Amino acid sequence: PTDARQTLKAAIQLLEREVPGPELASVYVQMALLSVISGQPDHALDWVGKIMALVDHFGADDIRQKALQMRGLARFDVGDLGGLDDLREAVELGLRLGFGRDTVRACINLSDLLSRQEGPAATLEVNQLGRRVCQERGITDLALLCNLEIAECLANLGHWDRALRAMDELLGHVEAKGGHYLAACTQAAKAFMLVWRGDLAQATLLVDEFLPRASRIGDLQVLARVVPVAGIVKQAEGNVDAAVQCVKDFAVTTRQAPASYRAQPLPDLVRICVAAGEFELAEQLMSDVEAHSARAQHALLTAQAVLAEAKGNFKGASKLYGEAVERWSRFGIVFEHVQTLLGLGRCLTRLAQPQAHKPLMEATT
């Protein structure tokens, strides 16, 4: 990201000496994109304003379509759910005008927002649309990202066998090509499922590969996805100190990032903290989350339930877990639905409630 920003700044210095045109707007688009993925949505919106001013001056539907994507992502990150409308418009514009790569990118970006607001079923649908466009146009690189997103949707929907097969196929492809940016995220997603299935040895091997790779990349959107998984695996190994360090590293890495980066893995991070007795760290993580999206709200509620249970407030925790159960059920992420069912069952058991067996039985099915 650092090298990319310096290169783009050099391009802007060259182009701003000339009569403004599509080339300058295209570089502004790239700066907006870099700002978004670096966790600087306000800066991205500034760049989008410059883009739209140029587009209004000389007209360029392709650049407008890209700018809509950047604006949608940035608006969503600052808590404006209208960003979804921008992304839907970008997809529709791309399809109507026959764009290939930019239509796929719009699908991928829309899927990111849908994964935070509407759940994995809606996310899967738009990623499948993106993959169809890739297949029709012979777009192989973006197809890899669509395939990763589809695999993660399958995992969230509870289809872990299908998700693991899809991830193995994707990893085989990218490693045969000499490695890929997506490999770290794919390995982390796979390690998450393996460690919960009890295959600790394989999950550990994956951590040893993806964590250094993600560190070398240095991209916030990669680090935010993989560091929590490393913590889960370290905890499963019994290395509590290393697990907590992963949580602390995550907190430092995402400190200046939008809330979306910190919200999604919050339940897992808090589970690590309470297992280590790090209640203060758990509370700090929760205080740093602004729950704009539905998924962020569900994650924060779940984290609050986990901490309340750990502190012995079983009555309060059972109420929080009960609400979280309903939310995750509607949202469609099976893993968190099951985790909250188990939490509710544990709390009701400690309260000697006769209905304690019901959520526990439901969790097993």
Side-chain angles (χ1 to χ4, degrees), residues 1 32-40 181 219-221 261:
L33 171 61
L34 192 59
S35 297
V36 166
I37 65 176
S38 299
Q40 299 173 307
Y181 179 93
D219 193 335
L220 179 61
Q221 64 180 351
Y261 285 95

Side-chain angles (χ1 to χ4, degrees), residues 97-110:
L97 298 177
F99 298 157
R101 299 181 65 84
D102 288 325
T103 299
V104 178
R105 288 193 181 98
C107 288
I108 292 168
N109 288 325
L110 176 58

Side-chain angles (χ1 to χ4, degrees), residues 228-306:
V229 178
I232 294 169
V233 175
K234 297 295 183 184
Q235 183 186 25
E237 293 173 347
N239 192 341
V240 176
D241 290 342
V244 171
Q245 187 59 51
C246 286
V247 176
K248 292 178 178 178
D249 291 344
F250 174 87
V252 171
T253 300
T254 62
R255 182 168 294 154
Q256 302 301 321
S260 58
Y261 285 95
R262 297 187 296 279
Q264 183 164 316
L266 186 61
D268 288 319
L269 296 170
V270 171
R271 289 182 192 114
I272 292 172
C273 290
V274 300
E278 295 278 354
F279 292 177
E280 186 176 341
L281 178 57
E283 290 169 348
Q284 177 188 333
L285 290 168
M286 292 189 291
S287 69
D288 288 341
V289 170
E290 297 174 3
H292 298 309
S293 69
R295 183 167 183 174
Q297 293 165 8
H298 305 343
L300 180 57
L301 179 67
T302 303
Q304 290 169 341
V306 170

Side-chain angles (χ1 to χ4, degrees), residues 53-70:
L54 288 174
V55 169
D56 291 342
H57 179 68
F58 57 75
D61 284 335
D62 59 333
I63 296 175
R64 173 176 167 75
Q65 194 260 2
K66 295 173 184 175
L68 283 169
Q69 296 184 56
M70 299 305 104

Side-chain angles (χ1 to χ4, degrees), residues 58-121:
F58 57 75
D61 284 335
D62 59 333
I63 296 175
R64 173 176 167 75
Q65 194 260 2
K66 295 173 184 175
L68 283 169
Q69 296 184 56
M70 299 305 104
R71 189 172 74 184
L73 293 170
R75 288 176 68 189
F76 199 91
D77 276 345
V78 296
D80 182 355
L81 301 184
L84 279 164
D85 297 329
D86 282 337
L87 263 298
R88 289 191 172 102
E89 184 180 349
V91 171
E92 292 169 1
L93 184 60
L95 290 170
R96 178 162 54 84
L97 298 177
F99 298 157
R101 299 181 65 84
D102 288 325
T103 299
V104 178
R105 288 193 181 98
C107 288
I108 292 168
N109 288 325
L110 176 58
S111 77
D112 177 47
L113 302 194
L114 290 173
S115 73
R116 293 186 256 163
Q117 187 62 27
E118 297 186 13

Side-chain angles (χ1 to χ4, degrees), residues 103-224:
T103 299
V104 178
R105 288 193 181 98
C107 288
I108 292 168
N109 288 325
L110 176 58
S111 77
D112 177 47
L113 302 194
L114 290 173
S115 73
R116 293 186 256 163
Q117 187 62 27
E118 297 186 13
T123 307
L124 179 62
E125 183 178 349
V126 75
N127 273 305
Q128 288 172 331
L129 171 60
R131 185 167 66 179
R132 285 198 298 273
V133 175
C134 287
Q135 291 169 341
E136 292 166 0
R137 300 298 187 93
I139 302 171
T140 57
D141 55 338
L142 294 179
L144 296 176
L145 184 51
C146 289
N147 287 336
L148 172 57
E149 298 294 336
I150 288 170
E152 291 190 333
C153 287
L154 292 172
N156 283 329
L157 290 166
H159 307 304
W160 281 20
D161 288 336
R162 291 172 60 191
L164 285 168
R165 287 195 296 269
M167 289 175 187
D168 283 339
E169 182 179 348
L170 177 58
L171 286 170
H173 179 85
V174 300
E175 296 299 346
K177 298 294 184 181
H180 195 280
Y181 179 93
L182 295 179
C185 294
T186 308
Q187 289 173 321
K190 181 179 177 182
F192 178 88
M193 288 183 283
L194 290 177
V195 72
W196 280 106
R197 282 190 160 185
D199 191 348
L200 180 57
Q202 186 61 33
T204 299
L205 288 175
L206 288 169
V207 170
D208 292 341
E209 290 185 26
F210 73 66
L211 201 55
R213 175 177 274 167
S215 297
R216 287 194 301 272
I217 293 171
D219 193 335
L220 179 61
Q221 64 180 351
V222 175
L223 289 168

